[in-house]
Amino acid sequence: MLRRSIICLASVSFLGFAGIGSSGAAESGGPIRVGAVLPFSGGVELYGQQARLGLDLAAKDINAAGGILGRPVEVIYADDKTRPEAAADAMRSLVEKQDVLAVVGPITSRNLNALVPLAESSKTPLLYATNYEGGKCSRYLFSFGAVPNQELGQLLPHMTETFGKTYFLLGADRVWPHQMFDIAQPLIEKLGGRVVGTKYTLGTETDFSPLIKEVAASKAQVLLFALKGDGMDFIRQADEAGLLKDITVAFLGLSEVDLGIFRGKGQNMVTVVPAVAASEDPAVKAFVAKARAAAGAGVAVSNYVMTHYNTLIALKAAAEKAGKLDKEAIIDAMVGLAIPSPTGPVTLGQDHHAAMNMFIAKTQGSELVQVRALGEIAPQPGCSLAGR
């Protein structure tokens, strides 16, 4: 039902318009086009649909408030099929044929690596709203998601202090888990902990029994988990095998959209996120209610919805600060920009990454619940822009 509801929402979007000018807006004052390169197939489409929900909500709110510089915003979606080649083709089409003002997306690190060079060569702002491993600074890239010091840097001290100092690292054999674990190991050691095992899955596993036994044999107290998409069933199998009685899962990238996959298993897993849908904060409650009014009462609302919502709010603010629909002027105006969000201000720094409020959360019942508010965490992207 959840997936069906999201897909139904995804089908309700504006179609293209003719007469778009060089800045993604018709000379006659027609809609401003913004591209979105997101996965709607290929294995991580649930996150693509969450991103789309956030963008649709932002476009609706912006247009209800008079648009951007008096013009309505139109989001044009393209499926990157969770493959870098498809992502690159989609972005080329959006820039060259649709003349978009900016592009939002993608979700995966591999696809981000494919799009950044295209953003630079086409001089088109790329607004990325997924947590990632950091290390990418470009004039044309803006990150609205968490980087390792905002996620790992907050999660690991909490896990070490609360649950133990021995870690098993389990992730998919992909860019993001490898790089996150490379960052995690020295942080764990600095905290006085140690890694007793590391394993990467191939994505072809259906029976995780051998891996569960290997993790159990390590006697680790914390399982640092970065196994999204094709490996998520590990959690259910590990719970049923009794592994989660003896080890606590520190889950990188966990969000509300994942919880249905666990079928009630995997209680008390811990994560760090920029938003928790079950929060009692009035602004968060209002945002979640608005999202569910648009998508259906049973639809999961994750931090992916909020971070992608924030991209269009920032684009509007930057365009209005610049006073014109010019890509270079908008990029200049984006630096130092502070925008409101449901969880508090989001500020884009000199290196184009976002300072924002972060929260420790855990799985409880069928929800992700807040454990502790961490306050605003400034990003350390692991790179810098020349001259800044």
Side-chain angles (χ1 to χ4, degrees), residues 9-21:
L9 172 75
S11 67
V12 181
S13 62
F14 294 104
L15 299 178
F17 291 79
I20 299 298

Side-chain angles (χ1 to χ4, degrees), residues 136-152:
K136 288 200 172 300
C137 286
S138 165
R139 173 170 173 77
Y140 297 97
L141 174 67
F142 289 87
S143 170
F144 291 79
V147 290
N149 77 292
Q150 295 168 308
E151 186 178 15
L152 273 174

Side-chain angles (χ1 to χ4, degrees), residues 152-223:
L152 273 174
Q154 313 306 313
L155 180 60
L156 294 179
H158 174 76
M159 299 306 296
T160 303
E161 294 167 6
T162 309
F163 300 105
K165 295 185 177 182
T166 53
Y167 283 76
F168 195 103
L169 314 185
L170 177 59
D173 191 14
R174 295 177 179 170
V175 172
W176 177 66
H178 275 279
Q179 295 196 15
M180 291 297 278
F181 288 172
D182 287 346
I183 294 166
Q185 181 144 349
L187 287 176
I188 290 167
E189 292 171 355
K190 187 175 181 180
L191 291 165
R194 62 191 178 96
V195 175
V196 297
T198 303
K199 195 79 172 183
Y200 296 97
T201 66
L202 300 177
T204 57
E205 299 86 352
T206 55
D207 179 6
F208 289 97
S209 298
L211 185 52
I212 290 167
K213 290 176 182 177
E214 183 177 348
V215 176
S218 75
K219 303 296 184 183
Q221 295 163 303
V222 177
L223 176 62

Side-chain angles (χ1 to χ4, degrees), residues 1-2 5-6 8-9 49-50 53-54 56-57 60-61 255-260 275-281 283-303 305-306 309 366-369:
M1 283 295 295
L2 181 152
S5 297
I6 298 177
C8 286
L9 172 75
Q49 299 294 358
Q50 288 280 290
L53 173 54
D56 284 347
L57 288 173
K60 183 178 180 180
D61 284 352
S255 73
E256 288 84 353
V257 75
D258 301 313
L259 301 183
V276 180
S279 170
E280 290 300 315
D281 182 275
V284 176
K285 290 181 74 172
F287 183 78
V288 171
K290 180 167 61 175
R292 288 185 174 146
V299 168
V301 179
S302 71
N303 66 85
V305 177
M306 187 195 76
Y309 179 94
S366 60
E367 293 185 315
L368 199 60
V369 299

